[in-house]
Amino acid sequence: MKKIGTIILLLISINSIGQNLVECGIDNSPKLTQTESEFLTEYMNDKQLKNYDLTDKKVIFVTGNSAQQFGTKTEYFDQIKESNKNENKIATWIVELNENERKISGGYDVIITYWVKVLTKKRKNKIINEIKASR
């Protein structure tokens, strides 16, 4: 009987995560919605998330082997949706910006990398300066 209850709870939680994903990435606003931040908190493990609270955070999305491309929120969540069809996850990491970097970037709180193998300090600074120049 306990196994049946556990299975039912597991199925309900999987279904609710899937429903939340439908509501993610519907715009390219850099600020995450409540649904998006909740989804990402469930999607990433502790090592990826680094106990960071994504609620109402302004995010820069970057992709490519060495983070050479800017992505959009819509592109990012579309890739998650596509990967979920095959029950896979995309490689995602959070890089928190310090106070000075937040000022330079215009208030961005964090960089979310996806499909990035290496993000050097030099590349991180270049991303921040490119964001500053684009404002």
Side-chain angles (χ1 to χ4, degrees):
M1 189 65 172
K2 286 183 180 181
K3 289 182 182 180
I4 292 173
T6 302
I7 291 171
I8 290 172
L9 287 175
L10 181 62
L11 291 173
I12 290 170
S13 66
I14 289 171
N15 190 29
S16 68
I17 290 172
Q19 288 174 341
N20 286 348
L21 183 56
V22 171
E23 299 172 16
C24 294
I26 58 175
D27 65 31
N28 279 322
S29 167
K31 190 171 182 181
L32 294 177
T33 66
Q34 183 67 31
T35 302
E36 291 164 342
S37 63
E38 287 172 3
F39 174 82
L40 289 173
T41 299
E42 293 291 323
Y43 187 74
M44 289 187 261
N45 65 35
D46 291 338
K47 188 175 180 182
Q48 293 167 302
L49 194 58
K50 301 176 185 174
N51 293 322
Y52 191 77
D53 181 10
L54 291 166
T55 305
D56 294 324
K57 298 301 183 203
K58 195 172 175 185
V59 177
I60 303 168
F61 292 92
V62 294
T63 189
N65 284 339
S66 56
Q68 73 275 16
Q69 285 180 267
F70 285 97
T72 66
K73 186 166 61 170
T74 301
E75 291 168 344
Y76 173 71
F77 281 106
D78 284 348
Q79 285 198 23
I80 290 176
K81 291 170 187 174
E82 189 62 34
S83 292
N84 271 4
K85 291 178 185 175
N86 300 321
E87 298 182 15
N88 294 323
K89 287 188 171 187
I90 65 171
T92 299
W93 294 91
I94 289 180
V95 180
E96 188 175 354
L97 302 182
N98 64 36
E99 187 176 329
N100 187 50
E101 292 167 334
R102 286 192 298 271
K103 285 180 189 175
I104 293 170
S105 69
Y108 284 86
D109 300 293
V110 66
I111 297 172
I112 292 183
T113 67
Y114 58 105
W115 301 123
V116 173
K117 291 182 180 178
V118 177
L119 176 62
T120 64
K121 179 119 176 104
K122 182 178 178 181
R123 181 62 189 142
K124 178 183 174 187
N125 290 335
K126 189 171 182 179
I127 289 167
I128 293 165
N129 287 320
E130 285 179 33
I131 290 291
K132 176 185 176 185
S134 70
R135 294 183 297 145

